[in-house]
Amino acid sequence: MVHSTSGKPTTDGVSAGQDALRHRDGGGGSGTPPPTRRGMLSVAAAAGLGLLAGCGEESADSSGAGPRGSTKAERSPSATPSKHSPSPTPKPRPELPRGGRELSRYRLVGYCGLPGAAALGRLGVGDLEDQVRQIEKTARAYAADREPQPVLELLATVANSSAGPDGTYRSRTSSDTIRRFHDAAKRHRALLLLNIQPGRASVLGEVKALREWLVHPDVGIALDPEWEMGPGEVPGNSYGHTSGKELTDVARYLSGIVDEHDLPQKPLVFHQVAVSVVSDQSALRPQPGVVLIKSADGIGSPGMKRDTWRQLVRNQPEGVRTGFKLFYEEDTEGSRLMTPEEVLALRPRPDYVMFE
């Protein structure tokens, strides 16, 4: 499904011309071509999904306070051990799902999606347990000189083609769905990335609304700024945009959570389909405990995807790592999927390989 000019879903396919616009942009264009079929499906899918909470759903406290029960309790005088009491056993520091506290030990490999929305990625189809087992197998093929770390990238905020009651052009995935995916991630020692397509909502506000999940050591954030709209902009009509400063603000907020809860490094991925999607990249500042990953988006043949890659990693800010996105269907329309060897031959070698 894609959205029509009236904002209502339609079953008409997207024209080849719309796909070609994104392919032709190649990540280096300065214009704002319409998103691909994959993206157009995104803005229509959320409206019909019973798994999404309403736009007006009450969010977590945006003041920066932790979730209920997450604040550190004050020790009462009676709880103070006497000089004759044995020393308490130190509590182990939280670690990443497969051990350690630094992400550089791992190659992250994952699927993205939303249940009930096959057009948005592999996580939206079939049995979740089967999908996670397949991610494990795929991750081993890309590990190379690192340990494989499976990733579930769940769309937690989905851009809509209609404004909704609060005018934000976005819907939020229900807590029950996020919990189900987090439980699956824990069972398989995977990372859970919560993907945000903000529409006209505040990006930092959407991140703060997910704080109850971000206090866990196995949960990170992925941002999809091509769906971040300014005033008067509607998802699906043009590419959205973010800035180095805004990405830094999100990283700083996550860094505060890492510090407060003594967490291991937390990934902050931002998917970038074109150079124009991230302005003032030089303002991007890495923050303690947060690993910034720029994931090269874009559909096409291996040659086209390598061209997009070169455009996006040129003048890469210091301290920012790289990711690479592959599309099982769109990349193979008239071409083929890149092999693990081809992906790992990219320089710098991607830290995160994601499949949609």
Side-chain angles (χ1 to χ4, degrees), residues 308-343:
T308 300
W309 172 265
R310 285 189 286 268
Q311 292 277 357
L312 293 177
V313 301
R314 185 180 299 159
N315 302 320
Q316 181 94 333
E318 186 176 353
V320 177
R321 303 183 191 178
T322 56
F324 194 71
K325 187 185 289 191
L326 294 163
F327 296 82
Y328 277 119
E329 295 183 6
E330 286 90 339
D331 282 350
T332 59
E333 292 176 359
S335 186
R336 62 175 177 83
L337 201 66
M338 291 178 69
T339 66
E341 292 75 20
E342 289 174 319
V343 173

Side-chain angles (χ1 to χ4, degrees), residues 96-119:
L96 294 165
R98 304 203 169 192
R101 291 173 56 87
E102 295 190 3
L103 286 165
S104 58
R105 171 177 169 179
Y106 300 100
R107 179 98 51 225
L108 279 57
V109 180
Y111 290 175
C112 80
L114 181 69

Side-chain angles (χ1 to χ4, degrees), residues 112-157:
C112 80
L114 181 69
L120 303 185
R122 283 295 173 99
L123 284 183
V125 297
D127 179 75
L128 178 57
E129 292 297 308
D130 289 343
Q131 292 291 2
V132 181
R133 283 190 285 268
Q134 182 59 45
I135 295 171
E136 176 82 49
K137 181 179 178 181
T138 303
R140 289 197 294 269
Y142 287 85
D145 56 336
R146 298 189 185 179
E147 297 177 40
Q149 175 57 72
V151 174
L152 283 64
E153 187 168 324
L154 174 68
L155 274 68
T157 302

Side-chain angles (χ1 to χ4, degrees), residues 139-219:
R140 289 197 294 269
Y142 287 85
D145 56 336
R146 298 189 185 179
E147 297 177 40
Q149 175 57 72
V151 174
L152 283 64
E153 187 168 324
L154 174 68
L155 274 68
T157 302
V158 185
N160 295 336
S161 57
S162 58
D166 60 0
T168 59
Y169 288 86
R170 66 92 175 98
S171 295
R172 291 174 178 169
T173 301
S174 70
S175 293
D176 287 345
T177 299
I178 297 176
R179 183 174 297 106
R180 182 161 69 88
F181 275 75
H182 189 216
D183 288 344
K186 288 189 288 187
R187 284 194 299 273
H188 294 271
R189 295 190 300 152
L191 277 172
L192 176 65
L193 290 185
L194 299 176
N195 181 294
I196 294 173
Q197 300 177 353
R200 290 191 195 171
S202 159
V203 173
L204 188 55
E206 293 304 300
V207 173
K208 289 181 177 181
L210 296 167
R211 185 183 177 100
E212 66 176 294
W213 307 105
L214 294 172
V215 298
H216 295 281
D218 54 355
V219 180

Side-chain angles (χ1 to χ4, degrees), residues 14-44:
V14 175
S15 69
Q18 288 172 319
D19 278 331
L21 279 169
R22 185 172 185 179
H23 295 170
R24 185 166 64 248
D25 183 75
S30 60
T32 56
T36 61
R37 178 182 68 83
R38 184 266 309 177
M40 301 292 281
L41 287 163
S42 174
V43 296

